[in-house]
Amino acid sequence: MTFTAIRSALLHCLRDPGLAGDASAIEYLPDAITVMRDGRVHAVGAADALLPTLGADVRMDDQRGRMLAPGFVDTHVHYPQVDVIASYGTQLLDWLNRYTFPAELAFAERAHADVAANFFLDRVLENGTTTAAVFCTVHPQSVDAFFTASEARGLGMIAGKCLMDRHAPEGLTDTADTGYRDSKALIERWHGHARSRYAITPRFAPTSTLPQMQAMGRLAREHPDVYIQSHVAENRAEIAWVNELFPGHRSYLDVYDHYGLLRDRAIYAHCIHLDDADRARMTAAGATPSFCPTSNLFIGSGLYNLQQALAAGNAVSVGTDIGGGTSYSMLRTLGEAYKVQQLLGTSLSPAYALYLATLGGARALSLDDEIGSIMPGKFADFALLDPAATPLLARRTTLRDDPLDTFFALMTLGDDRAIAATYASGRCVHRRAMP
Ligand code: GUN
Ligand code: ZN
């Protein structure tokens, strides 16, 4: 059944609440109506005010007892790594060679990519995520498979084909020339098609030759409104390798900058081992870091210092980084982000955590006029949270009548079970089966 309105509690950010969590930046409506039309939010407000204005033809999804939030935004994830998750015993460079590259080779086959893309999107939607910046493999058909599947579900996804012309197995490399041409053709096919957007996707500096770095810079110049996504400063051995491969640069980040890959709409995963000059340069260039806590812990990469990044003005967002990351759930990812910051002596407030996964993610992707909060005119992309999803959550969340405390309990204890439903472009695209 297609609903035209949802009745529920509602929680979202009106603006950036800051790391300490200014509660006035958060709006909470205990009994709200959200009216959808043509895939977008048509009206939203308190039920007692809105109900009398609704026509008899409104089909209401009555979800009282649950909390509607903007669909989550995952700013760094790899769909071809669905089978890489939970791979034992390695750090980044070994992990790539032992687990990741072999898994990505299979995406030369379109049928394999179709199955993986659909499996991936099922997991994403059951976790309440409606927008993500997604790495595909080097194969252009892996991008076609992904966008075909995401558009069929009404999603607004960002994705791109990896470019790598060295230090990867045969079958997983392109060249400076084919990488450029294939990316250009994919931009023409997908960027701005339905809600899809394209990202030029250098895997990371070590897998591109200097001519390929130049070709990607040219592509970026020719397409100023296209995204760029890559990895930087994740792991110490990786950084040492970049210093050998690209001598004469001030830093790893400077390599991307030198080739014109640091700009607005450029998302760099990890950014753990940046220095003050790098962080300042990120802000000046308009590039943004994606903090991937479950991956950083699992691959043993390090502790991302959120406070330092925010002090430098970086527009930080959060990514699951499947399959280095260990959960598709943005709630779980926020829970781990909290723990990483605790180890650094900082408390990540629930308000700021909510912001990171919604409006902050949207802002990092320059999509905050379309998604990230529940406002008339924005897309009707929502995650419906269930504060009583498990006996433990039910017991814990009834203790205090405070929506941000409830959200904190959800990000600490919740996962896909806490997502009662997910809506994309005004359609219910996932509903949790009742246990
Ligand atoms: N650096 C280069 N490729 C990857 C990848 O697939 N995952 C992670 N976490 N880091 C990378
Ligand atoms: Zn990654």
Side-chain angles (χ1 to χ4, degrees):
M1 173 161 195
T2 303
F3 296 99
T4 47
I6 302 165
R7 184 170 188 177
S8 64
L10 185 150
L11 181 72
H12 67 160
C13 298
L14 301 172
R15 58 178 186 279
D16 181 349
L19 187 57
D22 171 7
S24 73
I26 306 298
E27 182 174 49
Y28 175 67
L29 301 174
D31 185 12
I33 303 281
T34 306
V35 184
M36 303 172 282
R37 185 184 288 175
D38 299 330
R40 293 183 188 255
V41 176
H42 177 65
V44 60
D48 54 2
L50 260 185
L51 272 179
T53 70
L54 298 181
D57 56 337
V58 165
R59 278 158 298 163
M60 187 71 74
D61 194 359
D62 191 340
Q63 295 290 344
R64 278 176 282 184
R66 287 160 175 174
M67 197 154 78
L68 198 68
F72 296 133
V73 180
D74 177 349
T75 59
H76 182 75
V77 62
H78 301 250
Y79 101 81
Q81 294 179 16
V82 285
D83 300 319
V84 173
I85 194 167
S87 293
Y88 170 76
T90 52
Q91 296 213 348
L92 179 64
L93 301 175
D94 292 337
W95 175 84
L96 286 170
N97 287 318
R98 189 176 328 164
Y99 297 116
T100 306
F101 290 158
E104 293 192 8
L105 279 166
F107 287 72
E109 250 191 66
R110 172 66 191 257
H112 179 85
D114 285 331
V115 171
N118 281 295
F119 180 88
F120 171 85
L121 288 167
D122 286 345
R123 305 289 77 73
V124 162
L125 291 178
E126 77 192 359
N127 282 288
T129 299
T130 48
T131 295
V134 182
F135 275 56
C136 304
T137 63
V138 74
H139 315 99
Q141 58 271 35
S142 72
V143 179
D144 293 333
F146 181 75
F147 279 131
T148 301
S150 71
E151 287 190 0
R153 295 159 196 252
L155 297 168
M157 290 284 178
I158 298 169
K161 118 178 183 74
C162 262
L163 292 108
M164 35 183 184
D165 66 344
R166 64 169 163 174
H167 300 139
E170 210 184 312
L172 217 51
T173 51
D174 50 13
T175 67
D177 185 45
T178 62
Y180 170 89
R181 279 193 281 119
D182 287 345
S183 300
K184 203 167 184 69
L186 289 165
I187 290 169
E188 274 151 26
R189 193 171 319 149
W190 292 112
H191 188 64
H193 187 273
R195 291 182 62 189
S196 300
R197 267 124 169 154
Y198 195 80
I200 300 166
T201 306
R203 174 168 220 118
F204 66 157
T207 44
S208 289
T209 60
L210 275 56
Q212 181 161 74
M213 296 295 284
Q214 279 164 346
M216 294 186 290
R218 195 169 124 220
L219 198 56
R221 271 195 311 282
E222 289 165 355
H223 300 280
D225 63 329
V226 157
Y227 291 85
I228 297 169
Q229 57 181 353
S230 193
H231 300 90
V232 72
E234 177 177 8
N235 165 287
R236 300 265 182 212
E238 170 208 21
I239 295 167
W241 196 24
V242 171
N243 290 339
E244 272 171 39
L245 293 170
F246 297 89
H249 289 277
R250 201 200 66 75
S251 67
Y252 184 173
L253 188 77
D254 185 56
V255 174
Y256 294 118
D257 201 8
H258 177 79
Y259 290 100
L261 297 169
L262 211 61
R263 67 165 193 206
D264 216 24
R265 292 175 194 242
I267 309 134
Y268 281 89
H270 309 304
C271 298
I272 299 168
H273 308 289
L274 298 185
D275 63 13
D276 285 343
D278 286 331
R279 281 187 284 271
R281 180 64 196 131
M282 290 278 290
T283 300
T288 66
S290 177
F291 169 27
C292 303
T294 73
S295 169
N296 297 164
L297 293 170
F298 184 75
I299 317 186
S301 303
L303 305 176
Y304 180 73
N305 194 317
L306 182 59
Q307 195 172 40
Q308 272 180 352
L310 296 178
N314 292 175
V316 181
S317 58
V318 174
T320 59
D321 195 24
I322 297 295
T326 52
S327 175
Y328 285 87
S329 166
M330 287 296 284
L331 293 173
R332 292 261 29 77
T333 304
L334 294 175
E336 297 307 291
Y338 175 82
K339 293 176 195 167
V340 168
Q341 298 316 307
Q342 284 286 81
L343 286 170
L344 294 169
T346 303
S347 297
L348 166 60
S349 65
Y352 199 70
L354 174 67
Y355 176 77
L356 283 172
T358 58
L359 189 59
R363 225 171 243 175
L365 300 177
S366 305
L367 291 174
D368 47 312
D369 56 339
E370 294 191 358
I371 56 168
S373 60
I374 303 175
M375 298 285 199
K378 289 197 182 187
F379 282 107
D381 291 356
F382 313 128
L384 184 68
L385 306 175
D386 183 358
T390 65
L392 177 60
L393 269 170
R395 186 178 170 110
R396 168 64 180 76
T397 58
T398 46
L399 282 179
R400 283 165 241 162
D401 187 21
D402 172 353
L404 286 171
D405 180 70
T406 296
F407 187 74
F408 189 67
L410 283 163
M411 69 185 236
T412 305
L413 303 172
D415 50 31
D416 55 298
R417 293 168 297 174
I419 307 299
T422 305
Y423 305 79
S425 299
R427 269 195 316 131
C428 181
V429 285
H430 165 72
R431 199 175 290 277
R432 192 194 58 198
M434 281 300 144

